[in-house]
Amino acid sequence: MVFNYTEDAVRRMLPEVLKDYLKTHPQTCTCDLCRDDIMALALNQLPPHYVASEEGTIFTSVSFERVGGKAQVVAAITWAIAQVAQKPRHK
Ligand SMILES: [Zn+2]
């Protein structure tokens, strides 16, 4: 099984970052479609970090270091939210 730390990091951080973003941008859409778009955009900003074992599925604080640090993950997600909020794929 191949596991991408970056994807897990983004998936785990997204709700928290989105919650923060909503404090200043309460109109932001948080539907499943927009969340998926945010995920995809954020992941394209970050380097993937694959591991090929079940051990990789255990997410620890070290995981953020492996993908360039928590701040980088948060920055990528925040950027992605702004992009999607400006141009949601639906009405
Ligand atoms: Zn939406």
Side-chain angles (χ1 to χ4, degrees):
M1 168 187 170
V2 176
F3 180 81
N4 183 0
Y5 267 115
T6 310
E7 188 180 330
D8 199 40
V10 170
R11 199 182 299 282
R12 280 164 194 264
M13 286 306 295
L14 183 58
E16 198 179 310
V17 179
L18 198 53
K19 207 170 119 196
D20 265 7
Y21 194 85
L22 283 167
K23 285 179 193 162
T24 46
H25 305 79
Q27 275 90 36
T28 307
C29 181
T30 59
C31 75
D32 286 347
L33 187 65
C34 287
R35 276 172 191 259
D36 281 353
D37 280 348
I38 292 164
M39 272 284 293
L41 272 176
L43 281 169
N44 284 338
Q45 294 297 304
L46 295 162
H49 187 96
Y50 293 104
V51 288
S53 76
E54 288 188 21
E55 161 240 347
T57 61
I58 299 161
F59 195 88
T60 65
S61 57
V62 178
S63 307
F64 280 121
E65 302 313 314
R66 293 191 187 201
V67 300
K70 190 174 175 177
Q72 196 192 342
V73 174
V74 171
I77 296 172
T78 305
W79 176 84
I81 295 170
Q83 303 302 305
V84 174
Q86 274 171 28
K87 283 185 188 172
R89 278 199 290 150
H90 57 73
K91 291 185 181 162

